[in-house]
Amino acid sequence: SIQEPGRIVLHDVNLVDLAQNYAEGRGSYETWREVITSQYGEQVLELAIRSEKWEEHQAREELAINYPLFKPYLQGALGVVIHSRYAEEILRSQLPAHVSIRQLCLPYPPPGPAYRRDYQAPTLRFIFCGHVGPNRRVEKFMEAWSQLPDPSRIQLDIYGNVSFINVLEEKAEECGITGLYNIHGFVDEETLERALQDAHFALNLRWPTMGETSSSQLRYWSHALPTIASDVGWYHEVPEQALIKIPIENEVECLREKLLQIVGNPASFAAYGEMGREYWENEHSPQRYVDGLLEFARERAVALKKEVLDDVLVSTLDSMCE
């Protein structure tokens, strides 16, 4: 994207993890430090160096919240596609006016049949899919969950990449919920689909957000799963009736209150999943995305021809003058 800029689809506004992992893979953090200081200056260098240690969660969180890294990768872009208004606002505030930006809803394949869930079951099954890192708030969920009068009413199944299993295990033991959750790691599609069908609720908390649209959320909605999500970024833009939204302020307290309501009357939350599925069908179809992408490409092609012509005219006229 730096050497051969074209039309860029920017799923996350914050590319801190991409830049750091690229540098780590090459055995040198020089490129990472160069790109972060090229956008924010030398004053962020000390924080950037501290964040290179994976145990420095606070430094990484501060970077993600206050220093979203993207400009070095978009400097020569002919156009940028993003998936949320949150991302669009950040980009427009920092990119040159001539860079075209288009918001398109992240596509997801058409849904299968909806499943009816037994919300009268003695144990409510919560599911988490994706990459478990510090910003996914699983530890905060465990804190709130452990404060229920009977935590055993909930079982949590975690699927995907868990980078710090020992941290989760220590937190579960501290909260007294050991044995009430299962870490499955990566599984085949058939197993995951069956787990989504068997689940009653989904978990999708995120802070800080990276400006992304969640593909796991689209998957939850395809199964009409009521989902608990943080009220930030793209999730804040989603209609209130489509997500069970939790503010980042007083997060644990708000989670505990919501879990008490869910345990008390789980069937009353089924409508969130149904509304989410309807919203997803209307906004996130692959055809709608492709149509928008082609339209954007055609618009930029016309604009690019004009820009090239302008450059040629200016240089030609300049060569004719002393």
Side-chain angles (χ1 to χ4, degrees):
S1 65
I2 293 174
Q3 295 177 7
E4 297 288 343
R7 297 174 183 85
I8 295 176
V9 177
L10 190 69
H11 181 64
D12 292 350
V13 170
N14 201 326
L15 303 180
V16 164
D17 286 342
L18 171 66
Q20 284 190 335
N21 280 292
Y22 177 75
E24 185 177 293
R26 291 168 65 89
S28 169
Y29 280 98
E30 287 307 310
T31 52
W32 145 246
R33 295 171 187 174
E34 287 171 8
V35 294
I36 191 71
T37 54
S38 71
Q39 182 167 342
Y40 292 106
E42 294 294 325
Q43 71 271 14
V44 79
L45 184 57
E46 182 183 346
L47 178 64
I49 292 172
R50 279 199 293 121
S51 75
E52 291 165 9
K53 299 177 181 178
W54 279 98
E55 63 271 17
E56 288 281 354
H57 297 317
Q58 187 174 351
R60 296 177 71 83
E61 185 171 299
E62 186 178 344
L63 268 179
I65 294 171
N66 298 317
Y67 302 98
L69 176 65
F70 58 84
K71 283 182 72 174
Y73 300 98
L74 305 181
Q75 290 288 39
L78 303 177
V80 184
V81 173
I82 39 79
H83 298 140
S84 68
R85 291 196 305 273
Y86 176 88
E88 183 175 8
E89 289 169 6
I90 292 176
L91 263 61
R92 289 200 185 281
S93 70
Q94 297 197 44
L95 289 182
H98 71 268
V99 178
S100 295
I101 301 171
R102 177 67 57 87
Q103 181 191 343
L104 298 175
C105 290
L106 185 70
Y108 199 80
Y115 300 93
R116 299 189 64 85
R117 294 181 167 83
D118 178 15
Y119 286 104
Q120 303 305 314
T123 301
L124 296 174
R125 303 189 66 170
F126 281 63
I127 191 169
F128 174 100
C129 301
H131 297 277
V132 185
N135 79 315
R136 299 305 299 273
R137 320 305 285 176
V138 176
E139 294 170 84
K140 297 299 182 183
F141 178 80
M142 285 181 167
E143 283 184 40
W145 175 16
S146 69
Q147 294 174 19
L148 297 180
D150 181 12
S152 66
R153 284 277 281 125
I154 291 176
Q155 174 185 319
L156 175 63
D157 291 292
I158 299 174
Y159 292 86
N161 176 37
V162 185
S163 57
F164 61 128
I165 292 178
N166 60 321
V167 175
L168 290 184
E169 291 174 341
E170 290 171 6
K171 189 66 178 180
E173 185 173 355
E174 175 191 322
C175 293
I177 54 173
T178 301
L180 299 182
Y181 71 98
N182 296 297
I183 298 177
H184 302 271
F186 283 107
V187 296
D188 59 70
E189 280 290 307
E190 185 178 346
T191 301
L192 184 57
E193 283 295 299
R194 191 160 54 247
L196 289 163
Q197 294 168 21
D198 292 341
H200 298 96
F201 292 87
L203 189 63
N204 200 2
L205 298 166
R206 299 183 191 226
W207 178 252
T209 178
M210 305 295 182
E212 76 289 353
T213 294
S214 167
S215 58
S216 57
Q217 185 57 56
L218 301 183
R219 188 161 199 162
Y220 296 150
W221 278 338
S222 73
H223 288 270
L225 267 171
T227 305
I228 297 176
S230 300
D231 192 14
V232 294
W234 171 77
Y235 312 89
H236 179 71
E237 300 168 17
V238 169
E240 296 294 322
Q241 302 86 348
L243 284 175
I244 306 166
K245 298 183 182 182
I246 302 296
I248 57 174
E249 301 82 11
N250 303 317
E251 182 181 26
V252 173
E253 180 183 344
C254 292
L255 272 169
R256 180 177 61 83
E257 291 302 315
K258 193 60 66 176
L259 289 175
L260 282 170
Q261 295 171 22
I262 287 172
V263 169
N265 187 6
S268 66
F269 288 85
Y272 283 96
E274 294 163 4
M275 180 60 74
R277 181 179 166 105
E278 182 180 333
Y279 176 75
W280 165 72
E281 288 178 329
N282 292 334
E283 300 294 328
H284 293 272
S285 77
Q287 187 61 55
R288 180 170 180 166
Y289 185 82
V290 169
D291 290 344
L293 199 60
L294 290 174
E295 180 185 3
F296 186 55
R298 283 192 291 267
E299 289 174 1
R300 288 305 301 140
V302 172
L304 182 60
K305 289 174 184 175
K306 183 178 183 301
E307 290 164 15
V308 171
L309 182 59
D310 286 347
D311 287 344
V312 171
L313 282 172
V314 169
S315 60
T316 302
L317 290 170
D318 182 60
S319 68
M320 295 167 64
C321 303
E322 292 182 2

